[in-house]
Amino acid sequence: MRALIAGNWKMHGLAAFRSEVAALAAKMAASAPADCDVLICPPATLVAAFAKEFSGTAIQFGGQDCHADPSGAHTGDISAEMFADAGAGLVIVGHSERRADHNESDADVLSKTKAVLRAGLTPIICVGESEAERKAGKALDIVGGQLERSLPETSDDFVVAYEPVWAIGTGLTPTLADIAEMHAFIRSKTRSDVRILYGGSVKPGNAQDILAIDNVNGALVGGASLKAGDFYPIVMAAGGKQ
Ligand code: PGA
């Protein structure tokens, strides 16, 4: 299985950030793992320009969220079809910041997942427990429920990202054993060719250990994806990952 290293820029990035993408593309052209896909999900304003400028490189681009409908009276929203039109290949859905900031439910996440598939793109479906849920020993139950309610029944063309909410942007990560346990659990609920990413404070310093874990098929990277100097070593850490 090819690894997927995905960068989620969140609400960071102006047109000038193209220089970071150019630097990453240059590094990857010089040396990159053959068995790894690399994705950047910049703010929606940059997807079309980046997809066009970097179309000849090994970097793909994606959206961070989408509306469930293909078009309509939804001021400010962006449909999956619009991301496809802009040159995106994948769209993140259900990120914990969307769930928290916009009250997105698992049902919303399922609708968005179906929208991404309808547009011919691949959804990256995010799941993960809060700190309180982990401390209460409920992490597997919570993630199991999220998967049950947000994975599509009619397609296996999706990626799952396990992102413990308490590990996002905090510098904290679960133990390698806890990541292994959760990824084995998610694998038991998905087909063997579905890629399962780990996300939450992935950095150049911990990427190799995390990516070496069974059933970790890549990473969803926030802060460390903004600079080519941080993101490239994470891409390289995926080299040789089966
Ligand atoms: P982080 O974010 O790498 O900055 O913790 C990960 C994410 O939110 O996808």
Side-chain angles (χ1 to χ4, degrees), residues 2-140:
R2 291 177 66 77
L4 171 62
I5 302 296
N8 171 16
W9 281 13
K10 311 190 179 186
M11 200 170 72
H12 301 286
L14 303 172
F17 276 51
R18 65 157 298 287
S19 62
E20 292 299 331
V21 184
L24 179 67
K27 286 173 187 285
M28 287 178 55
S31 173
D35 49 1
C36 177
D37 295 324
V38 175
L39 172 76
I40 291 178
C41 298
T45 48
L46 297 175
V47 170
F50 284 1
K52 190 167 176 219
E53 179 175 354
F54 299 102
S55 67
T57 73
I59 305 172
Q60 299 180 68
F61 297 91
Q64 298 177 10
D65 173 57
C66 69
H67 194 279
D69 294 343
S71 61
H74 303 292
T75 302
D77 280 318
I78 299 170
S79 70
E81 281 77 1
M82 291 169 181
F83 277 115
D85 191 46
L90 300 89
V91 180
I92 298 169
V93 294
H95 190 280
S96 67
E97 286 153 15
R98 297 291 314 176
R99 293 174 186 262
D101 294 357
H102 300 272
N103 290 317
E104 288 187 6
S105 64
D106 292 328
D108 295 328
V109 177
L110 177 58
S111 303
K112 291 175 181 218
T113 297
K114 288 179 178 166
V116 177
L117 291 167
R118 180 190 66 219
L121 305 181
T122 302
I124 301 177
I125 305 165
C126 300
V127 294
E129 81 286 356
S130 68
E131 185 172 23
E133 290 161 348
R134 160 85 38 195
K135 282 192 172 143
K138 293 189 189 151
L140 295 182

Side-chain angles (χ1 to χ4, degrees), residues 8 10 95-97 163 167-171 199-203 220-224:
N8 171 16
K10 311 190 179 186
H95 190 280
S96 67
E97 286 153 15
E163 297 206 302
I168 295 175
T170 58
S201 296
V202 175
K203 308 287 177 204
L220 182 54
V221 184

Side-chain angles (χ1 to χ4, degrees), residues 111-214:
S111 303
K112 291 175 181 218
T113 297
K114 288 179 178 166
V116 177
L117 291 167
R118 180 190 66 219
L121 305 181
T122 302
I124 301 177
I125 305 165
C126 300
V127 294
E129 81 286 356
S130 68
E131 185 172 23
E133 290 161 348
R134 160 85 38 195
K135 282 192 172 143
K138 293 189 189 151
L140 295 182
D141 277 357
I142 294 295
V143 168
Q146 290 172 334
L147 292 172
E148 224 157 83
R149 292 184 294 269
S150 53
L151 294 190
E153 279 175 8
T154 53
S155 170
D156 290 293
D157 181 20
F158 57 81
V159 175
V160 175
Y162 167 56
E163 297 206 302
V165 179
W166 52 273
I168 295 175
T170 58
L172 303 171
T173 52
T175 63
L176 299 179
D178 284 346
I179 297 175
E181 179 189 41
M182 182 62 82
H183 279 244
F185 173 71
I186 297 172
R187 173 65 65 219
S188 74
K189 311 263 176 205
T190 57
R191 238 173 46 177
S192 61
D193 58 347
V194 167
R195 290 187 284 192
I196 307 172
L197 314 184
Y198 169 79
S201 296
V202 175
K203 308 287 177 204
N206 62 17
Q208 198 144 13
D209 286 346
I210 291 172
L211 289 166
I213 299 171
D214 269 359

